Amino acid sequence: MSKINKLISSNCGVIRPDSVEDYVKAGGYEGLKKAFTMTPEEIISEVKKAKLLGRGGAAYPAGSKWEQLLAIPEFPKYIVINADEGEPGTFKDKLLLSQDPLRVIEGMTISGHVFSSHDGYIYIRGEYRAIQKVFQSAIDNAVKAGYLGTNIMGTDFEFNIHIMTGAGAYVCGENSALLNSIEGKAGRPRIKPPHLAEVGLFLMPTLVNNVESIANIPTIVLDGGDKYLSYGTKDSGGTKLICLSGNAVNRGVYEIPFGVSLRDAIYDPEMGGGVPNGKKLKFFHLGGQSGPIGAEAQLDTMYCYKALRNAGLSVGSGAIVVMDEDVCVIDYLKGVTEFFIHESCGKCTPCREGNKQIYAILCKLSEGEATKEDMAVLKRMIDTMTNTSFCGLGQSAAVALNTCWKLFKAEFEDHLHKKCPAQVCFTEQERGE
Amino acid sequence: MCSKVTKDQALEIIGKYEKVLAIINKYGKAKEQLLSILLDIQCASGENYVAEEWAEVVACQLDLPISKVHDVLTFYAMFNIKPHGKYVIEICKSTPCHVTKADAVVKMFEEVLGIKLGETTPDNLFTLMHTSCVGACDIGPVAKIGDEVYGNLTAAKVAEVVTSYRGVSSCQK
């Protein structure tokens, strides 16, 4: 039996992305139609029953987030969708944005109805400029067809969607940094509290959801929270878009029900299809650069929030980057750390300086110049950054290093003695070849 | 004393000024549209950068202190404050591309273009740079030129891509 369950990606590659006609024929806008017969409380109750956990990476219960915003009396309230998707190894939102934008638009419109909002903003990363045009075309067509703008579906509800562009900054995936960026400022995170539900975009109450999260809303409203929950596990309902990349035979986006194993995701012929060229799997990186690294012994872990967390892993953004035996752990971590040096906003010292110090020691390791004292500094850096950085970026920047440290201690030791098992570091002469 | 600016140069400056004003007006001079305005100005510059004088025009038109415009220009990776080639070739260096041999792709482009990473070809047509993830990890290693992303790159494909940009006249935006 197929382990893939196309619940929210069923239209992708099947309909014309910006065609309202195609979308409606495929069952689109039935969720919004039903939503208009429900009260905000009833809709939120279904989202809570569905146990939809935020798909951007933080896994915060969407129903609770919606409930908190509904209780705030101030208006206007804004709907903001985070389409910044800057996590290397993550390209699942791109699938929905480019191939089924109307599902995202319908989800936004339902949330607009719930919070009596008139304006929704979708912040699409600058690297997706081509997709922004497709999305704008879908918005324009939805307005023309009466599903957006004024008097939506014959009601007196008015809702408009505005596309805002990013310009290349990973930290803008952090919700408060994203709001600053929408306001035309540099995307540095804000101090919290106050929380964004109270003081968000233009200092007004704001809902910030991920693209995949909001794309689930029409299905939850239409089918009901209980049915949606049945697709997943008892703790997290529905399906998850996973993205396979790196040394995997079939790289791409797959929609899976929570509960299949990591081995299925990486090796099933319908999904990853294993490691190419007969190579062995060495490790895999889950949930993006800020996520943990796992090894072969963890392959039978169930892909769901709870089981992964218990195994020291996480779902994060849904990224699964596969690495074969030719990849050096130290060299890989250098790449991860270089990324964080580049993407740190520079606001807080632990993140701004810590990543640079970690990188310097990793370079020493790959050059055979590191000492045991350096290893102690590395350990201290991991603790300091994790506990004292200002935002999630800095707090999670050393997660990959920390998990590698535990899984591949011998490889760190080898590098102290000028040995690189993957034959990536040092010259042939230094390796004694 | 006579100005050193010729009539043709003056007309060129006026032309550029009008182009920048048109971009700002298209966005209704809205402060929250600063990123879009600057990205459009950069694309229209022909040299893939936002010159200081245009940053000042934007600040003035949007009623922002120039420091705020500089803050944005230097914060986001997609902005350049120095001239670049007409086409900026950006090679993804994030780990999913790295493990699928992005380093080899850098060398392929260096060979075809005759320049090193970070440099611009003498005819100002191409600049070769690294970039963070462009969200195309399923087709790594990848290079991005303008809005276009080229994946599964091989030496033959790199040569083909470069040839396709030679002789193309307009900004691909």
Side-chain angles (χ1 to χ4, degrees):
Chain A
M1 205 182 97
S2 176
K3 290 175 176 116
I4 290 173
N5 186 2
K6 288 194 172 182
L7 206 60
I8 61 164
S9 61
S10 57
N11 289 342
C12 297
V14 177
I15 63 168
R16 286 171 292 172
D18 62 348
S19 164
V20 175
E21 193 190 346
D22 285 14
Y23 183 65
V24 169
K25 259 190 210 160
Y29 279 117
E30 288 300 318
L32 181 63
K33 198 168 160 187
K34 188 173 170 190
F36 282 137
T37 67
M38 298 164 76
T39 64
E41 288 80 5
E42 283 168 345
I43 293 172
I44 291 177
S45 165
E46 294 304 319
V47 178
K48 285 187 85 173
K49 273 194 236 164
K51 293 191 179 170
L52 171 68
L53 303 181
R55 301 289 198 250
Y60 191 79
S64 303
K65 198 186 246 188
W66 282 36
E67 200 170 43
Q68 286 155 18
L69 183 65
L70 191 69
I72 294 167
E74 280 83 23
F75 285 94
K77 288 175 183 170
Y78 292 111
I79 309 298
V80 171
I81 299 305
N82 183 343
D84 194 49
E85 192 163 60
E87 274 289 6
T90 314
F91 40 97
K92 47 114 187 160
D93 290 343
K94 186 170 92 169
L95 179 84
L96 295 168
L97 295 166
S98 63
Q99 297 193 27
D100 199 9
L102 286 157
R103 175 181 287 277
V104 180
I105 291 167
E106 185 183 353
M108 289 178 75
T109 313
I110 292 172
S111 64
H113 160 66
V114 168
F115 300 109
S116 304
S117 298
H118 286 177
D119 290 287
Y121 290 81
I122 181 160
Y123 182 87
I124 305 181
R125 64 185 309 216
E127 290 83 350
Y128 290 175
R129 287 283 265 195
I131 296 173
Q132 290 173 8
K133 290 173 191 160
V134 176
F135 205 93
Q136 186 62 56
S137 171
I139 289 174
D140 295 343
N141 291 340
V143 171
K144 270 184 229 151
Y147 290 103
L148 208 54
T150 51
N151 303 120
I152 294 174
M153 293 180 87
T155 67
D156 58 4
F157 175 53
E158 178 182 347
F159 188 66
N160 299 292
I161 295 179
H162 316 274
I163 296 177
M164 302 302 282
T165 184
Y170 170 80
V171 72
C172 289
E174 199 275 344
N175 286 349
S176 68
L178 182 145
L179 296 189
N180 278 341
S181 190
I182 292 183
E183 291 177 6
K185 302 167 188 161
R188 295 189 192 89
R190 297 178 183 174
I191 292 172
K192 285 176 275 184
H195 293 289
L196 307 181
E198 296 168 76
V199 184
L201 188 65
F202 307 124
L203 305 179
M204 297 313 293
T206 301
L207 174 81
V208 187
N209 272 158
N210 168 261
V211 169
E212 186 184 347
S213 303
I214 206 76
N216 274 293
I217 296 298
T219 304
I220 292 172
V221 170
L222 189 61
D223 296 347
D226 288 330
K227 190 169 178 194
Y228 183 85
L229 178 65
S230 72
Y231 298 122
T233 67
K234 67 179 174 53
D235 302 303
S236 62
T239 58
K240 178 80 190 87
L241 295 178
I242 57 165
C243 332
L244 276 155
S245 64
N247 302 132
V249 172
N250 307 319
R251 299 177 292 174
V253 179
Y254 303 93
E255 187 174 354
I256 57 164
F258 283 112
V260 303
S261 70
L262 274 172
R263 188 183 298 281
D264 285 332
I266 296 173
Y267 284 96
D268 192 289
E270 274 193 90
M271 289 182 264
V275 181
N277 308 318
K279 300 271 182 188
K280 278 189 200 151
L281 177 136
K282 183 169 178 180
F283 62 98
F284 48 86
H285 200 169
L286 295 184
Q289 300 293 278
S290 55
I293 278 170
E296 197 166 13
Q298 293 158 304
L299 276 178
D300 290 314
T301 311
M302 196 192 275
Y303 193 90
C304 70
Y305 291 97
K306 198 176 176 185
L308 286 177
R309 193 167 56 240
N310 290 343
L313 301 169
S314 75
V315 170
S317 62
I320 302 178
V321 188
V322 181
M323 262 64 66
D324 69 18
E325 57 195 304
D326 292 342
V327 177
C328 165
V329 169
I330 304 298
D331 183 61
Y332 184 80
L333 288 172
K334 270 171 67 182
V336 173
T337 313
E338 253 189 292
F339 175 80
F340 283 115
I341 291 172
H342 185 254
E343 300 297 348
S344 172
C345 82
K347 184 167 182 164
C348 76
T349 314
C351 176
R352 186 184 63 241
E353 302 301 325
N355 281 308
K356 287 181 193 161
Q357 295 305 318
I358 287 173
Y359 184 72
I361 295 174
L362 290 171
C363 287
K364 281 170 89 177
L365 270 168
S366 69
E367 287 156 12
E369 304 295 335
T371 63
K372 288 212 158 161
E373 288 72 41
D374 285 326
M375 296 299 97
V377 175
L378 207 52
K379 187 77 187 71
R380 204 172 69 231
M381 283 295 159
I382 293 171
D383 294 340
T384 308
M385 285 180 64
T386 307
N387 294 313
T388 64
S389 290
F390 185 84
C391 81
L393 189 152
Q395 289 159 14
S396 60
V399 168
L401 171 61
N402 200 18
T403 44
C404 273
W405 181 279
K406 287 169 189 158
L407 289 170
F408 297 99
K409 198 136 200 184
E411 198 155 330
F412 281 80
E413 292 284 333
D414 283 341
H415 280 78
L416 281 176
H417 301 102
K418 286 204 177 186
K419 271 190 241 159
C420 178
Q423 309 279 295
V424 173
C425 307
F426 320 118
T427 62
E428 285 180 12
Q429 204 180 4
E430 283 172 329
R431 293 198 295 256
E433 287 167 11
Chain B
M1 201 174 110
C2 285
S3 166
K4 285 179 185 169
V5 177
T6 65
K7 189 183 166 195
D8 285 349
Q9 285 169 329
L11 286 173
E12 196 189 329
I13 292 168
I14 292 166
K16 278 187 182 172
Y17 183 71
E18 282 173 350
K19 209 191 269 184
V20 167
L21 276 189
I23 289 169
I24 296 168
N25 288 332
K26 187 176 95 181
Y27 290 101
K29 297 190 181 184
K31 286 185 174 70
E32 65 266 26
Q33 296 291 351
L34 180 60
L35 272 65
S36 290
I37 290 169
L38 292 173
L39 281 172
D40 280 9
I41 290 173
Q42 176 162 294
C43 189
S45 73
E47 291 173 291
N48 268 305
Y49 85 119
V50 180
E52 176 63 25
E53 56 265 37
W54 305 130
E56 282 172 16
V57 172
V58 171
C60 179
Q61 292 290 322
L62 265 53
D63 196 20
L64 283 169
I66 184 70
S67 60
K68 287 279 174 201
V69 180
H70 283 161
D71 191 26
V72 163
L73 278 175
T74 53
F75 183 83
Y76 295 94
M78 287 173 76
F79 292 122
N80 304 313
I81 51 172
K82 295 215 166 92
H84 281 64
K86 187 172 175 186
Y87 301 113
V88 179
I89 301 173
E90 298 175 279
I91 299 163
C92 178
K93 66 182 294 197
S94 294
T95 49
C97 278
H98 177 66
V99 300
T100 50
K101 313 282 183 249
D103 288 350
V105 171
V106 171
K107 288 200 179 75
M108 291 171 199
F109 273 106
E110 285 180 339
E111 203 162 295
V112 173
L113 298 171
I115 54 169
K116 291 282 172 202
L117 192 75
E119 292 178 349
T120 300
T121 52
D123 60 0
N124 286 327
L125 199 57
F126 298 105
T127 298
L128 189 61
M129 289 167 73
H130 263 148
T131 179
S132 291
C133 186
V134 299
C137 320
D138 51 338
I139 51 168
V142 302
K144 182 172 167 286
I145 308 175
D147 291 346
E148 290 295 321
V149 174
Y150 301 91
N152 295 315
L153 290 172
T154 57
K157 211 162 169 184
V158 164
E160 197 183 299
V161 167
V162 170
T163 307
S164 74
Y165 277 85
R166 289 204 164 111
V168 177
S169 60
S170 65
C171 178
Q172 67 277 16
K173 186 182 170 295

